[in-house]
């Protein structure tokens, strides 16, 4: 079995920044020369492809085709390093080993798979064979918010689970349950990441408070930033603006992933 | 030709008490200067040879803070006299003056100014009085500001409750020292508010997880057959990975 690591990115609530974080983390890790894959298992509302410059016209085979036995995983992998386009940030990925495994954005295919439910063994095998076929060091999984069955599966198979939360009570409550689940499923590495923290707060205090609450490491506290909200939709923010506080904190999280053995 | 200058001077604070002939001399020897927005009229450290009376427009009086960033000390407008201090003491400019917008000033040479002072002690008294008043004022405010700074550093905000916020008329009077203190006071109040807000936020962060609900949610998810299978599969998966 391959030694590649599965890194799932999860959050209790929607809109917490999973897709942006996943895409930027994957890009940062790929920049170090690692072989990286990104799977969008948010089958209900896929979104990460946009950050990699993939739109409906360019999208070929998808995860849905694979789950329906209509495509091999090889066919689904979209080589980001060969299709960086002219976006300033993404252009730095030219020649890097990074593949995206997109979910279908066609409404009919989405409702079909939701109706049938996902074959979990197939998805699990799919993840494993993705790692071995592409000889990946890291496979990042962008998930649907909350604890539905696909998400539980991705948590169960992950080597590293990153839970993103906003520093407020609702997220803390939801995150506490996910942490308990991750521990019950023996996930080897659990990392917390705070996103959308109001810059007026002391991030060190937020980090210490959450770590004490959950007895789990906070790998980064990323600020709420209008720069990000304005610029993040179609390029990789941390590549385009490497000196921004959000990007610096994100690189800290990437380092924590690379350090996890 | 100098009539408008004459009328203007008669309405300024320092020269209002001058006899007509002296005022005439001042008006005749003053030269008009137009400034573009952003233009520097006085440069800190330069040798001072004249004073300026602002006819129209606003200037900022600036120096630098320890990081080299511009620090605005004051804003002066029509009718105010600037640069007279350097004529009376060291002779070097203690701050810079920069036009905030298009402005007009009258420049009066040191020689004429000294002559006016000689011939009209009232002007000298007016200047001395205004300076010493400013000084007395500032000393009081500086002492207050020092006291408050020390208290703030210790986290003692008791004075915020026991002090009347400085009145808006200090601002209206152009009393810069009082304005400084008012700004200082506002700053401390905001710092205190932020600190209180942060404390509250942290209390929420640290203490508001409903443990009963957490347990209930956890059990709801883990009691399903799906979960039991998943846990089993995950275990096998991890064992396999560890072996390879
Ligand atoms: N730190 C931040 N500051 C400001 N805006 C942010 C920040 N992080 C993410 N956003 C914005 O929040 C929105 C949601 O981000 P994103 O799509 O990455 O979240 P998500 O968790 O994947 O959402 P979903 O649950 O819908 O899949 C986006 O518009 C994104 O630009
Ligand atoms: Mg998303």
């Amino acid at each position: 079995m391959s030694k590649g690591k599965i890194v799932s990115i999860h959050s209790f609530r929607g809109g917490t920044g999973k897709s942006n974080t996943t895409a930027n983390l994957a890009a940062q890790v790929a920049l170090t020369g690692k072989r990286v894959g990104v799977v969008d298992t948010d089958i209900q509302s896929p979104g990460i492809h946009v950050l990699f410059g993939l739109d409906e016209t360019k999208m070929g085979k998808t995860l849905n085709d694979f789950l329906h036995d209509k495509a091999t995983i090889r066919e689904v992998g979209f080589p980001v390093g060969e299709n960086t386009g002219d976006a300033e940030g993404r252009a730095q990925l030219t020649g890097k080993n990074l593949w995206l495994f997109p979910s279908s954005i066609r409404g009919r295919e989405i409702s079909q798979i939701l109706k049938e439910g996902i074959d979990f063994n197939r998805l699990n095998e799919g993840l494993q064979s993705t790692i071995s076929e592409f000889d990946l060091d890291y496979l990042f999984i962008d998930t649907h918010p909350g604890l539905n069955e696909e998400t539980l599966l991705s948590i169960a198979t992950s080597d590293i689970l990153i839970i993103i939360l906003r520093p407020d009570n609702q997220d803390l409550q939801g995150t506490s349950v996910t942490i308990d689940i991750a521990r019950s499923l023996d996930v080897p590495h659990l990392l917390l990441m705070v996103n959308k923290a109001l810059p007026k707060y002391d991030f060190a205090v937020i980090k210490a408070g959450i770590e004490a609450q959950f007895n789990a490491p906070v790998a980064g506290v990323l600020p709420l930033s209008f720069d990000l909200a304005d610029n993040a939709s179609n390029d990789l923010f941390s590549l385009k603006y490497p000196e921004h506080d959000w990007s610096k904190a994100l690189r800290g999280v990437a380092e924590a992933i690379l350090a996890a053995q | 030709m100098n009539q408008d200058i004459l009328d203007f001077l008669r309405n300024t604070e320092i020269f209002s008490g001058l006899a007509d002939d002296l005022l005439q001399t001042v008006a005749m020897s003053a030269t008009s200067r137009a400034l573009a927005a952003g233009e520097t009229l006085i440069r800190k450290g330069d040798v001072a040879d004249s004073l300026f009376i602002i006819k129209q427009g606003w200037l900022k009086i600036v120096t630098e803070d320890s990081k080299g960033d511009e620090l605005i000390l004051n804003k002066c407008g029509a009718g105010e006299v600037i640069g007279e201090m350097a004529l009376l003491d060291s002779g070097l400019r203690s701050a810079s003056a920069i036009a905030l917008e298009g402005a007009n000033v009258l420049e009066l040479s040191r020689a004429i100014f000294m002559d006016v002072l000689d011939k009209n002690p009232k002007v000298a008294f007016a200047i001395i009085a205004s300076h010493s008043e400013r000084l007395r004022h500032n000393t009081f405010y500086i002492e207050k500001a020092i006291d408050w700074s020390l208290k703030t550093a210790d986290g003692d905000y008791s004075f915020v409750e026991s002090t009347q916020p400085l009145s808006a008329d200090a601002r209206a009077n152009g009393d810069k020292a009082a304005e400084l203190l008012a700004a200082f006071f506002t700053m401390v109040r905001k710092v205190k508010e932020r600190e209180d807000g942060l404390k509250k936020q942290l209390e929420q962060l640290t203490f508001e997880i409903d443990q009963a609900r957490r347990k209930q949610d956890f059990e709801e998810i883990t009691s399903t057959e799906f979960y039991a299978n998943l846990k089993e599969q995950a275990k096998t998966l991890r064992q396999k990975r560890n072996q390879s």
Side-chain angles (χ1 to χ4, degrees), chain A residues 90-109:
Chain A
R90 231 164 24 233
Q92 296 166 40
L93 292 172
T94 306
K96 297 293 169 194
N97 296 307
L98 176 58
W99 291 269
L100 173 66
F101 302 88
S103 263
S104 173
I105 44 180
R106 294 184 198 103
R108 182 133 55 89
E109 292 183 7

Side-chain angles (χ1 to χ4, degrees), chain B residues 1-71:
Chain B
M1 174 185 137
N2 285 323
Q3 191 57 43
D4 62 328
I5 296 181
L6 201 66
D7 289 343
F8 173 75
L9 286 176
R10 206 188 312 266
N11 289 316
T12 65
E13 206 173 322
I14 317 194
F15 298 113
S16 58
L18 288 196
D20 268 5
D21 58 329
L22 210 51
L23 207 55
Q24 195 79 42
T25 319
V26 171
M28 275 185 341
S29 45
T31 48
S32 247
R33 262 180 76 175
L35 299 170
E39 195 175 336
T40 301
L41 176 67
I42 296 176
R43 204 176 299 276
K44 184 177 174 178
D46 281 359
V47 176
D49 244 349
S50 53
L51 62 74
F52 301 91
I53 307 141
I54 303 172
K55 263 184 82 181
Q56 170 257 316
W58 287 93
L59 281 88
K60 58 181 176 181
I61 311 300
V62 300
T63 180
E64 282 166 7
D65 68 9
S66 54
K67 283 189 258 155
D69 291 332
E70 181 184 282
L71 197 69

Side-chain angles (χ1 to χ4, degrees), chain A residues 10-226:
Chain A
H10 183 261
S11 73
F12 168 66
R13 267 190 306 191
T16 314
K18 289 180 298 300
S19 296
N20 270 284
T21 304
T22 308
N24 280 280
L25 284 175
Q28 291 294 342
V29 172
L31 274 186
T32 70
K34 301 283 184 200
R35 301 176 65 85
V36 177
V38 180
V39 182
D40 190 354
T41 62
D42 188 353
I43 290 174
Q44 297 186 31
S45 48
I48 200 167
H49 57 276
V50 181
L51 298 165
F52 289 109
L54 193 58
D55 61 24
E56 202 157 357
T57 60
K58 284 189 242 161
M59 204 181 274
K61 299 285 186 197
T62 62
L63 213 55
N64 308 55
D65 296 319
F66 172 74
L67 292 171
H68 285 123
D69 256 330
K70 286 195 239 159
T72 65
I73 199 66
R74 272 257 150 230
E75 294 174 298
V76 177
F78 169 77
V80 175
E82 293 165 26
N83 296 277
T84 54
D86 47 14
E88 201 181 318
R90 231 164 24 233
Q92 296 166 40
L93 292 172
T94 306
K96 297 293 169 194
N97 296 307
L98 176 58
W99 291 269
L100 173 66
F101 302 88
S103 263
S104 173
I105 44 180
R106 294 184 198 103
R108 182 133 55 89
E109 292 183 7
I110 293 175
S111 55
Q112 185 186 357
I113 204 142
L114 288 176
K115 204 163 70 212
E116 292 169 0
I118 295 170
D119 181 345
F120 293 103
N121 285 323
R122 184 95 174 96
L123 182 58
N124 190 20
E125 275 165 28
L127 296 176
Q128 295 304 330
S129 61
T130 305
I131 291 180
S132 51
E133 287 232 5
F134 287 81
D135 191 22
L136 297 179
D137 297 305
Y138 292 94
L139 181 58
F140 287 84
I141 306 183
D142 185 16
T143 64
H144 188 69
L147 287 168
N148 63 14
E149 296 191 351
E150 304 97 271
T151 306
L152 286 172
L153 181 90
S154 80
I155 293 177
T157 63
S158 36
D159 299 288
I160 301 170
L161 173 66
I162 298 176
I163 307 176
I164 305 182
L165 67 154
R166 282 177 280 198
D168 64 42
N169 273 314
Q170 206 190 347
D171 269 15
L172 247 75
Q173 182 76 37
T175 299
S176 69
V177 180
T178 316
I179 289 176
D180 294 345
I181 296 277
R183 287 183 172 144
S184 146
L185 291 173
D186 296 319
V187 174
H189 298 281
L190 175 66
L191 296 174
L192 304 179
M193 185 193 115
V194 177
N195 189 27
K196 302 194 174 183
L198 290 179
K200 67 177 177 176
Y201 294 123
D202 182 341
F203 287 9
V205 175
I206 292 181
K207 177 175 149 79
I210 293 179
E211 286 183 338
Q213 180 68 52
F214 293 131
N215 194 21
V218 171
V221 180
L222 282 60
L224 176 73
S225 155
F226 292 107

Side-chain angles (χ1 to χ4, degrees), chain A residues 1 3 6 120-121 124 128 147 149 152-153 155-159 167-169 172-173 176-177 180-181 184-188 200-202 205-206 210 213-214, chain B residues 194 197-198 201-215 217-218 221-222 224 226-227 230-235 237-238 240-244:
Chain A
M1 194 165 269
K3 281 288 180 195
I6 296 180
F120 293 103
N121 285 323
N124 190 20
Q128 295 304 330
L147 287 168
E149 296 191 351
L152 286 172
L153 181 90
I155 293 177
T157 63
S158 36
D159 299 288
D168 64 42
N169 273 314
L172 247 75
Q173 182 76 37
S176 69
V177 180
D180 294 345
I181 296 277
S184 146
L185 291 173
D186 296 319
V187 174
K200 67 177 177 176
Y201 294 123
D202 182 341
V205 175
I206 292 181
I210 293 179
Q213 180 68 52
F214 293 131
Chain B
R194 257 200 307 263
L198 185 61
Q201 167 92 359
L202 284 178
E203 276 163 18
Q204 286 180 350
L205 272 179
T206 322
F207 299 124
E208 285 194 17
I209 288 184
D210 178 342
Q211 300 294 352
R213 218 186 98 202
R214 175 178 182 176
K215 191 154 172 274
D217 287 349
F218 177 76
I221 293 166
T222 53
T224 61
F226 168 83
Y227 189 85
L230 184 67
K231 191 170 160 92
E232 205 47 51
Q233 285 171 329
K235 204 169 148 193
L237 197 79
R238 295 199 196 289
K240 262 202 249 170
R241 270 191 223 168
N242 285 339
Q243 279 157 20
S244 62

